[in-house]
Amino acid sequence: MSIVWTDDVTAVDWDELAALYRIAPLGNKAPADLALVFGNSMFRAFAYDAGRLVGAGRVLADGRDCAYVCDIAVHPDYQGQGLGRQIIERLLARCGSHRKIILYAVPGKEAFYERLGFRRMTTAMAIFEDQTRAYERGYLTAP
C-alpha cells in the first residue's frame, strides 16, 4: 500500500467520495453535499492508492477553542490496516492547538477512537434531521 495524501479539495471526485461513504459504510451522502461540507471544513485528509480514493476525513474548527472530527471513511479493502488511524492522526496534528477536539463515532466503533485518546462525554447531546433513524442506528439513547 503506497498512500498519497492530500488536503486539496479541487482534485476530489465527489461522486467517488460519495461511493466511498456508501461502502465504508457511512450512509448516502450526495456528492454536492460532500463538496459543500469538505469545502467548509478547516482541515481535510484524502488518501489515494494508485489514484483511487481509499480514505477521507475532515475537521470543522474555529481556530482555537473547538474542533469536531467527522466523516472518517475508509474503503473496506483498506480497513484494519491502519489507514483510519493515519487519517485521524493527520487531522489531530492539524487541530492540536484547539482546547477540545470532539467526535461522535459510528455505534460499535468507540473502542477504535478510545485507542486514539478520545474519551466518552457525559454531556453530549444532539438534534438529528431524522431523530427516529438516529435512535434506530444507536446514535441516541432513549430519554
Side-chain angles (χ1 to χ4, degrees):
M1 177 168 63
S2 179
I3 300 298
V4 174
W5 294 94
T6 186
D7 64 357
D8 182 9
V9 295
T10 62
V12 175
D13 177 333
W14 301 108
D15 290 312
E16 184 179 25
L17 184 60
L20 174 63
Y21 276 72
R22 280 192 301 278
I23 63 172
L26 291 178
N28 289 321
K29 297 187 183 224
D33 290 345
L34 289 169
L36 177 67
V37 299
F38 272 84
N40 287 331
S41 296
M42 185 174 277
F43 308 114
R44 298 164 290 272
F46 300 101
Y48 290 86
D49 188 13
R52 178 174 136 194
L53 183 63
V54 296
R58 65 189 182 95
V59 175
L60 286 170
D62 60 22
R64 181 65 185 119
D65 188 49
C66 187
Y68 165 49
V69 178
C70 49
D71 287 339
I72 306 302
V74 176
H75 191 285
D77 293 346
Y78 292 77
Q79 291 177 8
Q81 299 178 39
L83 184 59
R85 171 182 286 276
Q86 290 177 43
I87 292 169
I88 294 291
E89 288 173 346
R90 284 175 172 276
L91 293 172
L92 290 178
R94 300 286 308 279
C95 64
S97 65
H98 287 78
R99 291 185 177 104
K100 56 187 164 286
I101 302 170
I102 300 166
L103 70 78
Y104 76 87
V106 171
K109 299 292 186 185
E110 298 90 346
F112 170 77
Y113 293 105
E114 286 174 349
R115 289 192 298 273
L116 294 169
F118 289 92
R119 298 295 175 257
R120 293 177 187 264
M121 292 177 61
T122 58
T123 59
M125 308 201 58
I127 297 172
F128 286 82
E129 180 179 56
D130 185 344
Q131 294 281 94
T132 302
R133 180 125 169 90
Y135 280 109
E136 290 169 356
R137 295 186 68 201
Y139 288 107
L140 296 174
T141 59

